[in-house]
Amino acid sequence: MMKNILKNYLLGIGACCVTAASLPALTACSEWDDHYDNLAVSTSTDLTLWQTMKQQPELSDFCDVLNQTMLLRQHKKTGVSYANLLDGVQTFTVMAPVNGTFSKDSLLKMVATDRGDSIVARSFVGNHLSYAIVSDVDTPKDFFLLSRKRSTIGGGNVAGVPIVAGRSNLMAKGGILHILTAPLAYRNNLYEAMLNNPEYALLGQQLRSYEQDEFNPGQSVPGDMVDGEQIYADSVFNERNIMLERVGLIADEDSTFWMIAPANDEWQRVFSEAMDYFRFDATVENADSLQRYWANYALLNDAIFSRTIQASYKDSLVTYEYDKRYPKYHVFHRPFDQGGIFYGAKETNFSNGVLYTPEHWPFTPVQTYLREIRSEGEKTNLILGSDRCDYVSRTHAADSVSESGYLDITAKKSTDNWFMTFKLENTLAGTYDVCAVVLPMTVYNPDAVNLRPCKFKAEINYVDENGESQTFNCDNMTFKSDPLRVDTIVLAENFKFPVCNYKQENMKISVKLMCNIMARETASFSREMFLDCIYLRPKSTPQEDK
């Protein structure tokens, strides 16, 4: 019966976790059934690991901590202690520190609370147990602890901590015991550094808020069916962090990272700046949560670098979001040199990477999240409306043509003044030059003659803080394209969107182009336009806008 109880508890708390701060994380995605079936270690004794440890007087303090530290499930204490675990049917390697080398009283005081119990379970108890059965031999061997930290055993020590002479490889029915002269040091990973270090408390609070429990029916124990619905006698939840899944799994001990994180005051400054850009209008559901989520994402998305995806990290660092089609973003050149993003920052090593703490945030919004926006003319799904015109998408491979395509717009009748409205996506509450990029007729016919400019007006449609529709008529100006070159025409300079429309599936932000040629001007102007794109060029910071 105890075997089944222990197995169910461990299934609940040992499911693969995204965050190492999920407590306790007892396995690195191992095959649970295989582990439970492999219960025996070759030994001549019938004593369990727990019974073997209880016979060692110098381990009485460690045994007291194991006996009073409970396994946690869904962040709540269970009725099963680590002493029960080691007295059961599973197999472990135990690396037990002797009395007097750690503060038993402090640990027992901590386990009296749920939060303290989880810390002791992870950083002390879990740091001295392993599912791997490892012996002390001459050649060092790497293995993982229950804390999910990587360790090494061999040559009479564990991770540099000496094993008491003659007290290694003590066999028991439940595994192997090594008696250490001191505790194993617990090394935070980058995520834990954010959560546990007061210097990064504000960032840590933001990251912790994205931890979630996700029900795992495959590992849960089904019970009866009630009204056609499956009821689970033992529900298992996997813990995840939805922010880390997008920006970098800095809780993962199997990976290595570089991370940039400023101390609290500087983080608050850049976070407030990002929040200004991600202000939504009052009609957007969960606007406050979306604002905070995208502000955090915008900052962290360019602050975490996986070592495994770098081609030549001293020359340039790329993030997960790097795309060769847009080489301007998510890449940072010569990061360790003067002027680079790591230069002058305090460097601290953690278990899964290096943290760089700069005095000043090394990025500007226009380098990272305040990006250029292009509504490509050839993408007809972005056309919200048109009148008195025909249009067709064409391709033209040239560096001067965005995305190698454009829209050919022609009037239905030779005297028709047409209009077309184009949707703009992912605008921020920032300042842009709003432009139209018009191509010369020679992109379609290099031998074209009698080249005439296009003549048109424009409107910018947007919403205010209350979600009310607004229109800016671009000062009622008339624009003329240059018929001989690729012409970036500024429709509105330093135009400030009061709210963002980031990742929204709606039609709140658009630009309307209106052909504006009088009948007597037909010989001087062309009603055909080759539109490359509507282009938003970011300009400034919120501080400059105020």
Side-chain angles (χ1 to χ4, degrees), residues 3 20-21 27 36 112 119 133 149 151 153 178 189 200 203 210 241 256 295 379 386 399-400 414 436 461 463 474 506:
K3 171 183 175 181
T27 182
Y36 283 108
I119 294 173
I133 304 302
K149 303 297 180 182
S151 191
I153 186 172
H178 308 288
N189 58 40
Y200 311 104
L203 174 52
Y210 296 107
N241 187 298
T256 53
K379 294 183 179 179
S386 64
D399 291 341
S400 58
S414 60
N461 303 296
V463 296
C474 300
N506 53 41

Side-chain angles (χ1 to χ4, degrees), residues 274-284 287 291 370 373 424-432 460-470 495-504 506 508-510 536 545:
M275 288 281 281
D276 282 343
Y277 280 110
F278 288 94
R279 293 192 311 273
F280 290 85
D281 71 75
T283 67
V284 175
Q291 180 186 20
L370 184 59
I373 297 174
L424 295 178
E425 297 181 306
N426 296 323
T427 53
L428 300 188
T431 303
Y432 301 85
I460 301 172
N461 303 296
Y462 63 100
V463 296
D464 61 19
E465 292 87 345
N466 297 318
E468 298 291 335
S469 295
Q470 305 291 332
F495 183 82
K496 176 70 188 306
F497 289 99
V499 290
C500 80
N501 199 44
Y502 192 71
K503 300 293 184 182
Q504 298 293 295
N506 53 41
K508 292 182 179 179
I509 314 296
S510 63
L536 269 61
D545 292 332

Side-chain angles (χ1 to χ4, degrees), residues 117-191:
D117 202 314
S118 67
I119 294 173
V120 173
R122 178 184 74 250
S123 61
F124 184 75
V125 173
N127 210 46
H128 291 88
L129 307 180
S130 175
Y131 278 127
I133 304 302
V134 290
S135 300
D136 176 30
V137 294
D138 292 337
T139 303
K141 177 181 179 180
D142 290 339
F143 66 102
F144 279 97
L145 301 163
L146 263 64
S147 62
R148 297 183 69 191
K149 303 297 180 182
R150 189 185 299 273
S151 191
T152 303
I153 186 172
N157 70 77
V158 179
V161 176
I163 301 172
V164 175
R167 310 305 300 278
S168 66
N169 302 329
L170 304 180
M171 306 301 292
K173 187 169 66 174
I176 301 177
L177 171 65
H178 308 288
I179 300 178
L180 305 182
T181 61
L184 295 177
Y186 182 86
R187 295 184 66 206
N188 282 329
N189 58 40
L190 288 165
Y191 183 54

